[in-house]
Amino acid sequence: MDFLDYAFMQRALLAAVLVGITAPAVGIYLVQRRQALMGDGIGHVAMTGVGLGFLLSWSPVWMATLVSVLGAVLMELIRWYGRTRGDIALAMLFYGGMAGGVMFINLAPGGSNANLTSYLFGSLSTVSESDVTAICVLAAFVVLVTLGLRRQLFAVSQDEEFARVTGLPVRALNLLTAVTAAVTVTVAMRVVGLLLVSALMVVPVAAAQQLSRSFAATFAIAVAIGVTVTIGGTVTSYYQDVPPGATIVLLTIAAFILLTALATPLARRRARAVAARQPAGDPAECAIPATREPEGTVGV
């Protein structure tokens, strides 16, 4: 536990725990909405924010948050109104975000592409006190939204038409989900990196779904996996001198493979147990349907 003696590791571990909580908490709604790659697209847009932060001598984290939120809102508008050319517009948004980040950071005084590395792939030693403060504030917002509005967000993620019929503000909730995803990307970029954050939003949820189909249980398991792999990846990167973002993502994928391997025989065993409890006789699909009584008669 000697790594706790260093201030930069204390900051990195705090940031890692917050990332482990927030990324799966948002990712579970993105997976339900079949928008698993949304975090990746927002990460591309956030690069422009990082570049602008260097160019304007402002906090790259807060600038990336602002640009990411604007990009997420624009993505939702494209999804609503883009129709046949929506995919082209999204592609231009993503690639433009990457190009903008590279251009702005090279225009910044003393800036170079090397400055982007810690934001693209994560870095332990560069997590400052101001970064931790920003991450704590943004993570609090994400937790409040994902837990406080979990019923409404789940309803919209499952079936927008049904949610609209029940009176829920579907478009407002969709925008809130997109904004929360954008905030989560900026929370995670100092630990995991912009190019890898989407994996931490999606893979823990997919791993948790191997063990449970309940939303509440899946949520809790995904967050537990997220916290475990972020802490494990951060500590491993300290001792082995390996990139933290890549280490965390590889541990997340390993957890998915392990849980899948464990869940498969358990699912088969449960299926056999259910089959054994069914009464003997013809299967339901082979059963002879009951004859219909003539109209005007009453069944006994």
Side-chain angles (χ1 to χ4, degrees):
M1 302 289 285
D2 60 314
F3 57 85
L4 292 177
D5 296 334
Y6 299 97
F8 80 93
M9 278 301 296
Q10 296 172 9
R11 294 193 296 266
L13 283 172
L14 176 58
V17 170
L18 294 176
V19 170
I21 295 172
T22 55
V26 174
I28 190 169
Y29 300 108
L30 298 183
V31 171
Q32 293 292 330
R33 289 156 56 100
R34 293 176 177 84
Q35 294 180 333
L37 295 180
M38 184 177 184
D40 189 52
I42 295 175
H44 286 66
V45 176
M47 290 177 61
T48 292
V50 173
L52 278 174
F54 279 100
L55 180 63
L56 302 177
S57 299
W58 204 48
S59 169
V61 175
W62 287 113
M63 183 61 76
T65 302
L66 176 61
V67 173
S68 296
V69 168
L70 293 176
V73 172
L74 185 57
M75 288 169 61
E76 277 298 304
L77 294 177
I78 291 173
R79 189 171 73 89
W80 295 343
Y81 303 113
R83 307 212 180 260
T84 57
R85 295 188 177 274
D87 55 340
I88 299 176
L90 287 174
M92 288 191 293
L93 179 65
F94 298 161
Y95 299 138
M98 293 182 64
V102 174
M103 179 62 70
F104 289 138
I105 204 167
N106 278 276
L107 292 175
S112 67
N113 290 341
N115 299 117
L116 276 176
T117 303
S118 63
Y119 293 92
L120 292 177
F121 303 104
S123 175
L124 293 177
S125 59
T126 58
V127 179
S128 64
E129 292 184 4
S130 61
D131 289 337
V132 172
T133 301
I135 289 172
C136 289
V137 172
L138 296 173
F141 167 78
V142 173
V143 171
L144 286 174
V145 171
T146 54
L147 289 181
L149 296 176
R150 62 187 182 279
R151 296 182 184 277
Q152 293 88 335
L153 294 178
F154 177 75
V156 173
S157 300
Q158 285 292 102
D159 191 334
E160 288 190 4
E161 292 302 322
F162 176 77
R164 187 175 289 107
V165 170
T166 59
L168 289 176
V170 172
R171 288 195 171 180
L173 290 170
N174 281 336
L175 276 177
L176 183 60
T177 301
V179 169
T180 308
V183 172
T184 304
V185 168
T186 56
V187 167
M189 71 180 181
R190 300 301 276 144
V191 176
V192 185
L194 293 173
L195 297 183
L196 299 174
V197 62
S198 185
L200 196 58
M201 297 170 74
V202 173
V203 180
V205 177
Q209 288 178 336
Q210 304 303 310
L211 300 180
S212 174
R213 288 294 181 265
S214 163
F215 176 80
T218 300
F219 189 102
I221 295 171
V223 169
I225 293 172
V227 172
T228 301
V229 297
T230 50
I231 293 177
T234 302
V235 174
T236 301
S237 65
Y238 169 78
Y239 283 111
Q240 301 299 322
D241 193 23
V242 291
T247 305
I248 290 171
V249 171
L250 290 175
L251 286 177
T252 309
I253 294 173
F256 172 80
I257 295 173
L258 176 62
L259 292 179
T260 301
L262 293 176
T264 300
L266 291 176
R268 292 174 179 172
R269 188 177 303 174
R270 285 196 296 267
R272 288 196 294 268
V274 171
R277 287 196 297 268
Q278 290 180 350
D282 292 333
E285 61 269 20
C286 298
I288 301 174
T291 57
R292 183 179 179 182
E293 295 180 356
E295 293 184 4
T297 62
V298 179
V300 178

